[in-house]
Amino acid sequence: MRNFTCVQDIGNLQDALKEAFEIKNDRFKYVELGRNKTLMMIFFNSSLRTRLSTQKAAMNLGMNVMVLDINQGAWKLETEREVIMDGDKPEHILEAIPVMGSYCDIIGVRAFAQFENRDEDYQEMIINQFIEHSGRPVFSMEAATRHPLQSFADLITIEEYKKTPRPKVVLTWAPHPRALPQAVPNSFAEWMNETDYDFVITHPQGYELDPAFVGKAKVEYDQMKAFEGADFIYAKNWAAYSGDNYGKILSTDRSWTVSDRQMAVTNNAYFMHCLPVRRNMIVTDDVIESAQSIVIPEAANREISATVVLKRLLEGLR
Ligand code: AN0
Ligand code: CP
């Protein structure tokens, strides 16, 4: 594998899952693969899980790791060409990227949607500049439109917990006080659409995702109807995608907060969320603390998805 930014990069999902369970069973199996190889993780945005699980994955593979938080200690980076750099940004990303590439073998990038210009976000300008100019394999640690390490961990988790071959999986919008990117729901939909699960998306009017990600998923605007008979509930907030509303909060309706009321109509569904989660906005204390909540094992599987991805990127170096 050369880069990892979307579901297509991982190829056959059954093979990827097989590898994930092999690694989960013996996470140091490939500890020689990364000897004297250096991972560089570049964060334009905050992180707890991605930072720790990806570093742990690199350690499982015997790699060395360097981490840079662009907004804490590095020079602020200009990202546009032809800008007269007389403002607050002392360095251009077009120099910074090849310099960073010269110190490492593989680069992970976290760069969220900026919500200034939908086309720029959906063209994945930042991560694509890394792919083009670093000379290294690049993987997404959540880019503007996708979070594939999360979605891969979500898939692993569903495979571990499912009780039927074709579970009903429901992605539900839930309220949040800040505008959040569509990367997690887009990516989750993209991965779910590659499975044969019964996959449903529910959200209020106006929160339609990019049709390219919705794909063959069923969209149901009535949250209670969507939850009926569900085996997995995957909650997430996102800001609007459509037209002039791009990046806007259109609703904070707390009747969409996942509570016992909605969980009661499911098939004793498991509750999932990528975390970090705001309690009593996205989900009630009772639901997230219930026996059906699998948010912690889901987060733990981030180490596994990252180990598989780094292993494949390392294999691609040879
Ligand atoms: C981010 C998001 O919604 O994309 C990261 C989630 C993994 N969440 C927040 O910024 C709260
Ligand atoms: N789920 C996830 O990516 O968490 P962090 O933002 O803490 O990395």
Side-chain angles (χ1 to χ4, degrees), residues 164-171 188 192-193 195-201 216-218 226 228-232:
T164 52
R166 211 173 152 263
K168 178 174 178 182
V169 178
V170 178
L171 165 62
F188 186 70
M192 290 300 106
N193 279 326
T195 70
D196 60 0
Y197 304 161
D198 178 10
F199 178 51
V200 178
I201 304 176
K216 63 180 181 171
K218 281 179 228 131
E228 275 170 23
D231 298 297
F232 293 87

mmCIF file with all atom_site columns, all heavy atoms in Angstrom, residues 164-171 188 192-193 195-201 216-218 226 228-232:
data_model
loop_
_atom_site.group_PDB
_atom_site.id
_atom_site.type_symbol
_atom_site.label_atom_id
_atom_site.label_alt_id
_atom_site.label_comp_id
_atom_site.label_asym_id
_atom_site.label_entity_id
_atom_site.label_seq_id
_atom_site.pdbx_PDB_ins_code
_atom_site.Cartn_x
_atom_site.Cartn_y
_atom_site.Cartn_z
_atom_site.occupancy
_atom_site.B_iso_or_equiv
_atom_site.pdbx_formal_charge
_atom_site.auth_seq_id
_atom_site.auth_comp_id
_atom_site.auth_asym_id
_atom_site.auth_atom_id
_atom_site.pdbx_PDB_model_num
ATOM 1   N N   . THR A 1 164 ? -25.573 -11.529 14.077 1.00 0.00 ? 164 THR A N   1
ATOM 2   C CA  . THR A 1 164 ? -26.138 -12.047 12.830 1.00 0.00 ? 164 THR A CA  1
ATOM 3   C C   . THR A 1 164 ? -25.186 -11.665 11.699 1.00 0.00 ? 164 THR A C   1
ATOM 4   O O   . THR A 1 164 ? -24.455 -10.676 11.817 1.00 0.00 ? 164 THR A O   1
ATOM 5   C CB  . THR A 1 164 ? -27.520 -11.426 12.527 1.00 0.00 ? 164 THR A CB  1
ATOM 6   O OG1 . THR A 1 164 ? -27.374 -9.995  12.602 1.00 0.00 ? 164 THR A OG1 1
ATOM 7   C CG2 . THR A 1 164 ? -28.574 -11.877 13.503 1.00 0.00 ? 164 THR A CG2 1
ATOM 8   N N   . PRO A 1 165 ? -25.204 -12.414 10.604 1.00 0.00 ? 165 PRO A N   1
ATOM 9   C CA  . PRO A 1 165 ? -24.267 -12.121 9.521  1.00 0.00 ? 165 PRO A CA  1
ATOM 10  C C   . PRO A 1 165 ? -24.501 -10.734 8.916  1.00 0.00 ? 165 PRO A C   1
ATOM 11  O O   . PRO A 1 165 ? -23.570 -10.109 8.411  1.00 0.00 ? 165 PRO A O   1
ATOM 12  C CB  . PRO A 1 165 ? -24.549 -13.209 8.478  1.00 0.00 ? 165 PRO A CB  1
ATOM 13  C CG  . PRO A 1 165 ? -25.472 -14.189 9.105  1.00 0.00 ? 165 PRO A CG  1
ATOM 14  C CD  . PRO A 1 165 ? -26.038 -13.587 10.354 1.00 0.00 ? 165 PRO A CD  1
ATOM 15  N N   . ARG A 1 166 ? -25.760 -10.286 8.957  1.00 0.00 ? 166 ARG A N   1
ATOM 16  C CA  . ARG A 1 166 ? -26.090 -9.026  8.283  1.00 0.00 ? 166 ARG A CA  1
ATOM 17  C C   . ARG A 1 166 ? -26.807 -8.093  9.253  1.00 0.00 ? 166 ARG A C   1
ATOM 18  O O   . ARG A 1 166 ? -28.011 -7.880  9.160  1.00 0.00 ? 166 ARG A O   1
ATOM 19  C CB  . ARG A 1 166 ? -26.983 -9.352  7.075  1.00 0.00 ? 166 ARG A CB  1
ATOM 20  C CG  . ARG A 1 166 ? -26.811 -8.420  5.952  1.00 0.00 ? 166 ARG A CG  1
ATOM 21  C CD  . ARG A 1 166 ? -27.564 -8.805  4.684  1.00 0.00 ? 166 ARG A CD  1
ATOM 22  N NE  . ARG A 1 166 ? -27.863 -7.583  3.961  1.00 0.00 ? 166 ARG A NE  1
ATOM 23  C CZ  . ARG A 1 166 ? -29.010 -6.947  4.030  1.00 0.00 ? 166 ARG A CZ  1
ATOM 24  N NH1 . ARG A 1 166 ? -30.019 -7.405  4.741  1.00 0.00 ? 166 ARG A NH1 1
ATOM 25  N NH2 . ARG A 1 166 ? -29.185 -5.820  3.352  1.00 0.00 ? 166 ARG A NH2 1
ATOM 26  N N   . PRO A 1 167 ? -26.065 -7.522  10.224 1.00 0.00 ? 167 PRO A N   1
ATOM 27  C CA  . PRO A 1 167 ? -26.702 -6.684  11.245 1.00 0.00 ? 167 PRO A CA  1
ATOM 28  C C   . PRO A 1 167 ? -27.275 -5.400  10.653 1.00 0.00 ? 167 PRO A C   1
ATOM 29  O O   . PRO A 1 167 ? -26.819 -4.929  9.614  1.00 0.00 ? 167 PRO A O   1
ATOM 30  C CB  . PRO A 1 167 ? -25.543 -6.362  12.195 1.00 0.00 ? 167 PRO A CB  1
ATOM 31  C CG  . PRO A 1 167 ? -24.313 -6.482  11.373 1.00 0.00 ? 167 PRO A CG  1
ATOM 32  C CD  . PRO A 1 167 ? -24.596 -7.561  10.363 1.00 0.00 ? 167 PRO A CD  1
ATOM 33  N N   . LYS A 1 168 ? -28.268 -4.856  11.366 1.00 0.00 ? 168 LYS A N   1
ATOM 34  C CA  . LYS A 1 168 ? -28.775 -3.525  11.003 1.00 0.00 ? 168 LYS A CA  1
ATOM 35  C C   . LYS A 1 168 ? -27.955 -2.478  11.752 1.00 0.00 ? 168 LYS A C   1
ATOM 36  O O   . LYS A 1 168 ? -27.922 -2.466  12.984 1.00 0.00 ? 168 LYS A O   1
ATOM 37  C CB  . LYS A 1 168 ? -30.253 -3.383  11.347 1.00 0.00 ? 168 LYS A CB  1
ATOM 38  C CG  . LYS A 1 168 ? -30.798 -1.992  11.025 1.00 0.00 ? 168 LYS A CG  1
ATOM 39  C CD  . LYS A 1 168 ? -32.305 -1.871  11.235 1.00 0.00 ? 168 LYS A CD  1
ATOM 40  C CE  . LYS A 1 168 ? -32.758 -0.429  10.946 1.00 0.00 ? 168 LYS A CE  1
ATOM 41  N NZ  . LYS A 1 168 ? -34.203 -0.244  11.192 1.00 0.00 ? 168 LYS A NZ  1
ATOM 42  N N   . VAL A 1 169 ? -27.284 -1.632  10.993 1.00 0.00 ? 169 VAL A N   1
ATOM 43  C CA  . VAL A 1 169 ? -26.387 -0.611  11.555 1.00 0.00 ? 169 VAL A CA  1
ATOM 44  C C   . VAL A 1 169 ? -26.969 0.760   11.227 1.00 0.00 ? 169 VAL A C   1
ATOM 45  O O   . VAL A 1 169 ? -27.243 1.056   10.060 1.00 0.00 ? 169 VAL A O   1
ATOM 46  C CB  . VAL A 1 169 ? -24.972 -0.740  10.941 1.00 0.00 ? 169 VAL A CB  1
ATOM 47  C CG1 . VAL A 1 169 ? -24.042 0.351   11.471 1.00 0.00 ? 169 VAL A CG1 1
ATOM 48  C CG2 . VAL A 1 169 ? -24.386 -2.132  11.222 1.00 0.00 ? 169 VAL A CG2 1
ATOM 49  N N   . VAL A 1 170 ? -27.174 1.573   12.268 1.00 0.00 ? 170 VAL A N   1
ATOM 50  C CA  . VAL A 1 170 ? -27.799 2.884   12.062 1.00 0.00 ? 170 VAL A CA  1
ATOM 51  C C   . VAL A 1 170 ? -26.841 4.004   12.473 1.00 0.00 ? 170 VAL A C   1
ATOM 52  O O   . VAL A 1 170 ? -26.390 4.062   13.616 1.00 0.00 ? 170 VAL A O   1
ATOM 53  C CB  . VAL A 1 170 ? -29.113 3.008   12.875 1.00 0.00 ? 170 VAL A CB  1
ATOM 54  C CG1 . VAL A 1 170 ? -29.736 4.390   12.686 1.00 0.00 ? 170 VAL A CG1 1
ATOM 55  C CG2 . VAL A 1 170 ? -30.086 1.919   12.465 1.00 0.00 ? 170 VAL A CG2 1
ATOM 56  N N   . LEU A 1 171 ? -26.536 4.850   11.516 1.00 0.00 ? 171 LEU A N   1
ATOM 57  C CA  . LEU A 1 171 ? -25.762 6.070   11.789 1.00 0.00 ? 171 LEU A CA  1
ATOM 58  C C   . LEU A 1 171 ? -26.754 7.176   12.100 1.00 0.00 ? 171 LEU A C   1
ATOM 59  O O   . LEU A 1 171 ? -27.583 7.522   11.252 1.00 0.00 ? 171 LEU A O   1
ATOM 60  C CB  . LEU A 1 171 ? -24.926 6.435   10.551 1.00 0.00 ? 171 LEU A CB  1
ATOM 61  C CG  . LEU A 1 171 ? -24.318 7.849   10.503 1.00 0.00 ? 171 LEU A CG  1
ATOM 62  C CD1 . LEU A 1 171 ? -23.324 8.088   11.642 1.00 0.00 ? 171 LEU A CD1 1
ATOM 63  C CD2 . LEU A 1 171 ? -23.627 8.083   9.146  1.00 0.00 ? 171 LEU A CD2 1
ATOM 64  N N   . PHE A 1 188 ? -17.562 6.608   7.805  1.00 0.00 ? 188 PHE A N   1
ATOM 65  C CA  . PHE A 1 188 ? -18.312 5.455   8.312  1.00 0.00 ? 188 PHE A CA  1
ATOM 66  C C   . PHE A 1 188 ? -19.237 4.938   7.208  1.00 0.00 ? 188 PHE A C   1
ATOM 67  O O   . PHE A 1 188 ? -19.288 3.732   6.941  1.00 0.00 ? 188 PHE A O   1
ATOM 68  C CB  . PHE A 1 188 ? -19.106 5.850   9.564  1.00 0.00 ? 188 PHE A CB  1
ATOM 69  C CG  . PHE A 1 188 ? -19.785 4.693   10.234 1.00 0.00 ? 188 PHE A CG  1
ATOM 70  C CD1 . PHE A 1 188 ? -19.049 3.723   10.894 1.00 0.00 ? 188 PHE A CD1 1
ATOM 71  C CD2 . PHE A 1 188 ? -21.170 4.572   10.209 1.00 0.00 ? 188 PHE A CD2 1
ATOM 72  C CE1 . PHE A 1 188 ? -19.675 2.644   11.518 1.00 0.00 ? 188 PHE A CE1 1
ATOM 73  C CE2 . PHE A 1 188 ? -21.794 3.498   10.836 1.00 0.00 ? 188 PHE A CE2 1
ATOM 74  C CZ  . PHE A 1 188 ? -21.054 2.540   11.484 1.00 0.00 ? 188 PHE A CZ  1
ATOM 75  N N   . MET A 1 192 ? -19.220 1.271   5.554  1.00 0.00 ? 192 MET A N   1
ATOM 76  C CA  . MET A 1 192 ? -20.418 0.435   5.693  1.00 0.00 ? 192 MET A CA  1
ATOM 77  C C   . MET A 1 192 ? -20.979 0.043   4.331  1.00 0.00 ? 192 MET A C   1
ATOM 78  O O   . MET A 1 192 ? -21.488 -1.054  4.147  1.00 0.00 ? 192 MET A O   1
ATOM 79  C CB  . MET A 1 192 ? -21.492 1.167   6.520  1.00 0.00 ? 192 MET A CB  1
ATOM 80  C CG  . MET A 1 192 ? -21.160 1.317   7.981  1.00 0.00 ? 192 MET A CG  1
ATOM 81  S SD  . MET A 1 192 ? -20.910 -0.252  8.858  1.00 0.00 ? 192 MET A SD  1
ATOM 82  C CE  . MET A 1 192 ? -19.138 -0.293  9.061  1.00 0.00 ? 192 MET A CE  1
ATOM 83  N N   . ASN A 1 193 ? -20.870 0.956   3.364  1.00 0.00 ? 193 ASN A N   1
ATOM 84  C CA  . ASN A 1 193 ? -21.367 0.656   2.024  1.00 0.00 ? 193 ASN A CA  1
ATOM 85  C C   . ASN A 1 193 ? -20.530 -0.402  1.310  1.00 0.00 ? 193 ASN A C   1
ATOM 86  O O   . ASN A 1 193 ? -20.955 -0.957  0.304  1.00 0.00 ? 193 ASN A O   1
ATOM 87  C CB  . ASN A 1 193 ? -21.456 1.936   1.186  1.00 0.00 ? 193 ASN A CB  1
ATOM 88  C CG  . ASN A 1 193 ? -22.719 2.718   1.504  1.00 0.00 ? 193 ASN A CG  1
ATOM 89  O OD1 . ASN A 1 193 ? -23.769 2.127   1.798  1.00 0.00 ? 193 ASN A OD1 1
ATOM 90  N ND2 . ASN A 1 193 ? -22.643 4.034   1.457  1.00 0.00 ? 193 ASN A ND2 1
ATOM 91  N N   . THR A 1 195 ? -19.749 -3.144  2.924  1.00 0.00 ? 195 THR A N   1
ATOM 92  C CA  . THR A 1 195 ? -20.160 -4.398  3.559  1.00 0.00 ? 195 THR A CA  1
ATOM 93  C C   . THR A 1 195 ? -21.554 -4.764  3.052  1.00 0.00 ? 195 THR A C   1
ATOM 94  O O   . THR A 1 195 ? -22.169 -3.988  2.304  1.00 0.00 ? 195 THR A O   1
ATOM 95  C CB  . THR A 1 195 ? -20.241 -4.247  5.094  1.00 0.00 ? 195 THR A CB  1
ATOM 96  O OG1 . THR A 1 195 ? -21.363 -3.407  5.405  1.00 0.00 ? 195 THR A OG1 1
ATOM 97  C CG2 . THR A 1 195 ? -18.974 -3.644  5.676  1.00 0.00 ? 195 THR A CG2 1
ATOM 98  N N   . ASP A 1 196 ? -22.065 -5.917  3.493  1.00 0.00 ? 196 ASP A N   1
ATOM 99  C CA  . ASP A 1 196 ? -23.450 -6.233  3.118  1.00 0.00 ? 196 ASP A CA  1
ATOM 100 C C   . ASP A 1 196 ? -24.395 -6.020  4.299  1.00 0.00 ? 196 ASP A C   1
ATOM 101 O O   . ASP A 1 196 ? -25.500 -6.552  4.329  1.00 0.00 ? 196 ASP A O   1
ATOM 102 C CB  . ASP A 1 196 ? -23.544 -7.654  2.548  1.00 0.00 ? 196 ASP A CB  1
ATOM 103 C CG  . ASP A 1 196 ? -23.094 -8.697  3.551  1.00 0.00 ? 196 ASP A CG  1
ATOM 104 O OD1 . ASP A 1 196 ? -22.702 -8.310  4.682  1.00 0.00 ? 196 ASP A OD1 1
ATOM 105 O OD2 . ASP A 1 196 ? -23.146 -9.900  3.228  1.00 0.00 ? 196 ASP A OD2 1
ATOM 106 N N   . TYR A 1 197 ? -23.999 -5.213  5.275  1.00 0.00 ? 197 TYR A N   1
ATOM 107 C CA  . TYR A 1 197 ? -24.885 -4.889  6.390  1.00 0.00 ? 197 TYR A CA  1
ATOM 108 C C   . TYR A 1 197 ? -26.109 -4.124  5.875  1.00 0.00 ? 197 TYR A C   1
ATOM 109 O O   . TYR A 1 197 ? -26.063 -3.491  4.829  1.00 0.00 ? 197 TYR A O   1
ATOM 110 C CB  . TYR A 1 197 ? -24.187 -3.985  7.419  1.00 0.00 ? 197 TYR A CB  1
ATOM 111 C CG  . TYR A 1 197 ? -22.900 -4.487  8.017  1.00 0.00 ? 197 TYR A CG  1
ATOM 112 C CD1 . TYR A 1 197 ? -22.020 -3.575  8.625  1.00 0.00 ? 197 TYR A CD1 1
ATOM 113 C CD2 . TYR A 1 197 ? -22.545 -5.836  8.010  1.00 0.00 ? 197 TYR A CD2 1
ATOM 114 C CE1 . TYR A 1 197 ? -20.833 -3.986  9.203  1.00 0.00 ? 197 TYR A CE1 1
ATOM 115 C CE2 . TYR A 1 197 ? -21.350 -6.251  8.590  1.00 0.00 ? 197 TYR A CE2 1
ATOM 116 C CZ  . TYR A 1 197 ? -20.496 -5.321  9.180  1.00 0.00 ? 197 TYR A CZ  1
ATOM 117 O OH  . TYR A 1 197 ? -19.324 -5.722  9.740  1.00 0.00 ? 197 TYR A OH  1
ATOM 118 N N   . ASP A 1 198 ? -27.172 -4.155  6.704  1.00 0.00 ? 198 ASP A N   1
ATOM 119 C CA  . ASP A 1 198 ? -28.348 -3.322  6.462  1.00 0.00 ? 198 ASP A CA  1
ATOM 120 C C   . ASP A 1 198 ? -28.012 -1.956  7.074  1.00 0.00 ? 198 ASP A C   1
ATOM 121 O O   . ASP A 1 198 ? -28.025 -1.801  8.292  1.00 0.00 ? 198 ASP A O   1
ATOM 122 C CB  . ASP A 1 198 ? -29.557 -3.977  7.146  1.00 0.00 ? 198 ASP A CB  1
ATOM 123 C CG  . ASP A 1 198 ? -30.822 -3.160  6.992  1.00 0.00 ? 198 ASP A CG  1
ATOM 124 O OD1 . ASP A 1 198 ? -30.828 -2.197  6.209  1.00 0.00 ? 198 ASP A OD1 1
ATOM 125 O OD2 . ASP A 1 198 ? -31.807 -3.499  7.673  1.00 0.00 ? 198 ASP A OD2 1
ATOM 126 N N   . PHE A 1 199 ? -27.673 -0.985  6.230  1.00 0.00 ? 199 PHE A N   1
ATOM 127 C CA  . PHE A 1 199 ? -27.117 0.281   6.721  1.00 0.00 ? 199 PHE A CA  1
ATOM 128 C C   . PHE A 1 199 ? -28.097 1.439   6.500  1.00 0.00 ? 199 PHE A C   1
ATOM 129 O O   . PHE A 1 199 ? -28.541 1.673   5.368  1.00 0.00 ? 199 PHE A O   1
ATOM 130 C CB  . PHE A 1 199 ? -25.778 0.554   6.019  1.00 0.00 ? 199 PHE A CB  1
ATOM 131 C CG  . PHE A 1 199 ? -25.145 1.854   6.423  1.00 0.00 ? 199 PHE A CG  1
ATOM 132 C CD1 . PHE A 1 199 ? -24.973 2.185   7.765  1.00 0.00 ? 199 PHE A CD1 1
ATOM 133 C CD2 . PHE A 1 199 ? -24.723 2.759   5.460  1.00 0.00 ? 199 PHE A CD2 1
ATOM 134 C CE1 . PHE A 1 199 ? -24.395 3.390   8.142  1.00 0.00 ? 199 PHE A CE1 1
ATOM 135 C CE2 . PHE A 1 199 ? -24.138 3.964   5.827  1.00 0.00 ? 199 PHE A CE2 1
ATOM 136 C CZ  . PHE A 1 199 ? -23.981 4.283   7.170  1.00 0.00 ? 199 PHE A CZ  1
ATOM 137 N N   . VAL A 1 200 ? -28.416 2.128   7.587  1.00 0.00 ? 200 VAL A N   1
ATOM 138 C CA  . VAL A 1 200 ? -29.403 3.220   7.556  1.00 0.00 ? 200 VAL A CA  1
ATOM 139 C C   . VAL A 1 200 ? -28.769 4.477   8.150  1.00 0.00 ? 200 VAL A C   1
ATOM 140 O O   . VAL A 1 200 ? -28.032 4.401   9.135  1.00 0.00 ? 200 VAL A O   1
ATOM 141 C CB  . VAL A 1 200 ? -30.657 2.828   8.386  1.00 0.00 ? 200 VAL A CB  1
ATOM 142 C CG1 . VAL A 1 200 ? -31.682 3.953   8.408  1.00 0.00 ? 200 VAL A CG1 1
ATOM 143 C CG2 . VAL A 1 200 ? -31.270 1.537   7.859  1.00 0.00 ? 200 VAL A CG2 1
ATOM 144 N N   . ILE A 1 201 ? -29.056 5.624   7.534  1.00 0.00 ? 201 ILE A N   1
ATOM 145 C CA  . ILE A 1 201 ? -28.595 6.913   8.073  1.00 0.00 ? 201 ILE A CA  1
ATOM 146 C C   . ILE A 1 201 ? -29.824 7.720   8.475  1.00 0.00 ? 201 ILE A C   1
ATOM 147 O O   . ILE A 1 201 ? -30.784 7.807   7.699  1.00 0.00 ? 201 ILE A O   1
ATOM 148 C CB  . ILE A 1 201 ? -27.787 7.708   7.025  1.00 0.00 ? 201 ILE A CB  1
ATOM 149 C CG1 . ILE A 1 201 ? -26.608 6.877   6.493  1.00 0.00 ? 201 ILE A CG1 1
ATOM 150 C CG2 . ILE A 1 201 ? -27.274 9.025   7.619  1.00 0.00 ? 201 ILE A CG2 1
ATOM 151 C CD1 . ILE A 1 201 ? -25.818 7.561   5.372  1.00 0.00 ? 201 ILE A CD1 1
ATOM 152 N N   . LYS A 1 216 ? -25.478 3.775   -1.395 1.00 0.00 ? 216 LYS A N   1
ATOM 153 C CA  . LYS A 1 216 ? -26.696 2.956   -1.401 1.00 0.00 ? 216 LYS A CA  1
ATOM 154 C C   . LYS A 1 216 ? -27.374 2.895   -0.033 1.00 0.00 ? 216 LYS A C   1
ATOM 155 O O   . LYS A 1 216 ? -28.337 2.150   0.155  1.00 0.00 ? 216 LYS A O   1
ATOM 156 C CB  . LYS A 1 216 ? -26.336 1.547   -1.890 1.00 0.00 ? 216 LYS A CB  1
ATOM 157 C CG  . LYS A 1 216 ? -25.356 0.861   -0.948 1.00 0.00 ? 216 LYS A CG  1
ATOM 158 C CD  . LYS A 1 216 ? -24.967 -0.546  -1.401 1.00 0.00 ? 216 LYS A CD  1
ATOM 159 C CE  . LYS A 1 216 ? -24.011 -1.110  -0.356 1.00 0.00 ? 216 LYS A CE  1
ATOM 160 N NZ  . LYS A 1 216 ? -23.634 -2.451  -0.395 1.00 0.00 ? 216 LYS A NZ  1
ATOM 161 N N   . ALA A 1 217 ? -26.894 3.669   0.937  1.00 0.00 ? 217 ALA A N   1
ATOM 162 C CA  . ALA A 1 217 ? -27.500 3.644   2.282  1.00 0.00 ? 217 ALA A CA  1
ATOM 163 C C   . ALA A 1 217 ? -28.939 4.137   2.225  1.00 0.00 ? 217 ALA A C   1
ATOM 164 O O   . ALA A 1 217 ? -29.284 4.971   1.397  1.00 0.00 ? 217 ALA A O   1
ATOM 165 C CB  . ALA A 1 217 ? -26.698 4.527   3.231  1.00 0.00 ? 217 ALA A CB  1
ATOM 166 N N   . LYS A 1 218 ? -29.777 3.604   3.141  1.00 0.00 ? 218 LYS A N   1
ATOM 167 C CA  . LYS A 1 218 ? -31.147 4.129   3.273  1.00 0.00 ? 218 LYS A CA  1
ATOM 168 C C   . LYS A 1 218 ? -31.096 5.362   4.145  1.00 0.00 ? 218 LYS A C   1
ATOM 169 O O   . LYS A 1 218 ? -30.432 5.365   5.178  1.00 0.00 ? 218 LYS A O   1
ATOM 170 C CB  . LYS A 1 218 ? -32.039 3.097   3.975  1.00 0.00 ? 218 LYS A CB  1
ATOM 171 C CG  . LYS A 1 218 ? -32.517 1.997   3.075  1.00 0.00 ? 218 LYS A CG  1
ATOM 172 C CD  . LYS A 1 218 ? -33.368 1.003   3.873  1.00 0.00 ? 218 LYS A CD  1
ATOM 173 C CE  . LYS A 1 218 ? -32.908 -0.399  3.565  1.00 0.00 ? 218 LYS A CE  1
ATOM 174 N NZ  . LYS A 1 218 ? -32.664 -1.255  4.708  1.00 0.00 ? 218 LYS A NZ  1
ATOM 175 N N   . ALA A 1 226 ? -35.977 4.758   12.272 1.00 0.00 ? 226 ALA A N   1
ATOM 176 C CA  . ALA A 1 226 ? -34.655 4.259   11.878 1.00 0.00 ? 226 ALA A CA  1
ATOM 177 C C   . ALA A 1 226 ? -34.101 3.291   12.925 1.00 0.00 ? 226 ALA A C   1
ATOM 178 O O   . ALA A 1 226 ? -33.465 2.286   12.590 1.00 0.00 ? 226 ALA A O   1
ATOM 179 C CB  . ALA A 1 226 ? -33.684 5.430   11.681 1.00 0.00 ? 226 ALA A CB  1
ATOM 180 N N   . GLU A 1 228 ? -35.694 1.248   14.873 1.00 0.00 ? 228 GLU A N   1
ATOM 181 C CA  . GLU A 1 228 ? -36.452 0.002   15.065 1.00 0.00 ? 228 GLU A CA  1
ATOM 182 C C   . GLU A 1 228 ? -35.655 -1.207  14.616 1.00 0.00 ? 228 GLU A C   1
ATOM 183 O O   . GLU A 1 228 ? -35.222 -1.288  13.471 1.00 0.00 ? 228 GLU A O   1
ATOM 184 C CB  . GLU A 1 228 ? -37.780 0.055   14.285 1.00 0.00 ? 228 GLU A CB  1
ATOM 185 C CG  . GLU A 1 228 ? -38.878 0.742   15.061 1.00 0.00 ? 228 GLU A CG  1
ATOM 186 C CD  . GLU A 1 228 ? -40.120 1.017   14.207 1.00 0.00 ? 228 GLU A CD  1
ATOM 187 O OE1 . GLU A 1 228 ? -40.307 0.323   13.184 1.00 0.00 ? 228 GLU A OE1 1
ATOM 188 O OE2 . GLU A 1 228 ? -40.870 1.950   14.576 1.00 0.00 ? 228 GLU A OE2 1
ATOM 189 N N   . GLY A 1 229 ? -35.440 -2.138  15.524 1.00 0.00 ? 229 GLY A N   1
ATOM 190 C CA  . GLY A 1 229 ? -34.767 -3.390  15.195 1.00 0.00 ? 229 GLY A CA  1
ATOM 191 C C   . GLY A 1 229 ? -33.273 -3.254  14.939 1.00 0.00 ? 229 GLY A C   1
ATOM 192 O O   . GLY A 1 229 ? -32.636 -4.213  14.485 1.00 0.00 ? 229 GLY A O   1
ATOM 193 N N   . ALA A 1 230 ? -32.683 -2.106  15.250 1.00 0.00 ? 230 ALA A N   1
ATOM 194 C CA  . ALA A 1 230 ? -31.248 -1.915  14.972 1.00 0.00 ? 230 ALA A CA  1
ATOM 195 C C   . ALA A 1 230 ? -30.389 -2.790  15.880 1.00 0.00 ? 230 ALA A C   1
ATOM 196 O O   . ALA A 1 230 ? -30.723 -3.031  17.042 1.00 0.00 ? 230 ALA A O   1
ATOM 197 C CB  . ALA A 1 230 ? -30.868 -0.448  15.161 1.00 0.00 ? 230 ALA A CB  1
ATOM 198 N N   . ASP A 1 231 ? -29.272 -3.258  15.331 1.00 0.00 ? 231 ASP A N   1
ATOM 199 C CA  . ASP A 1 231 ? -28.295 -4.035  16.126 1.00 0.00 ? 231 ASP A CA  1
ATOM 200 C C   . ASP A 1 231 ? -27.150 -3.154  16.613 1.00 0.00 ? 231 ASP A C   1
ATOM 201 O O   . ASP A 1 231 ? -26.513 -3.461  17.617 1.00 0.00 ? 231 ASP A O   1
ATOM 202 C CB  . ASP A 1 231 ? -27.732 -5.176  15.269 1.00 0.00 ? 231 ASP A CB  1
ATOM 203 C CG  . ASP A 1 231 ? -28.828 -6.140  14.842 1.00 0.00 ? 231 ASP A CG  1
ATOM 204 O OD1 . ASP A 1 231 ? -29.425 -6.764  15.731 1.00 0.00 ? 231 ASP A OD1 1
ATOM 205 O OD2 . ASP A 1 231 ? -29.110 -6.232  13.630 1.00 0.00 ? 231 ASP A OD2 1
ATOM 206 N N   . PHE A 1 232 ? -26.858 -2.090  15.861 1.00 0.00 ? 232 PHE A N   1
ATOM 207 C CA  . PHE A 1 232 ? -25.800 -1.150  16.242 1.00 0.00 ? 232 PHE A CA  1
ATOM 208 C C   . PHE A 1 232 ? -26.301 0.274   16.005 1.00 0.00 ? 232 PHE A C   1
ATOM 209 O O   . PHE A 1 232 ? -26.836 0.570   14.925 1.00 0.00 ? 232 PHE A O   1
ATOM 210 C CB  . PHE A 1 232 ? -24.526 -1.365  15.408 1.00 0.00 ? 232 PHE A CB  1
ATOM 211 C CG  . PHE A 1 232 ? -23.835 -2.678  15.675 1.00 0.00 ? 232 PHE A CG  1
ATOM 212 C CD1 . PHE A 1 232 ? -24.203 -3.827  14.980 1.00 0.00 ? 232 PHE A CD1 1
ATOM 213 C CD2 . PHE A 1 232 ? -22.826 -2.765  16.632 1.00 0.00 ? 232 PHE A CD2 1
ATOM 214 C CE1 . PHE A 1 232 ? -23.581 -5.052  15.229 1.00 0.00 ? 232 PHE A CE1 1
ATOM 215 C CE2 . PHE A 1 232 ? -22.197 -3.977  16.880 1.00 0.00 ? 232 PHE A CE2 1
ATOM 216 C CZ  . PHE A 1 232 ? -22.576 -5.124  16.182 1.00 0.00 ? 232 PHE A CZ  1
#
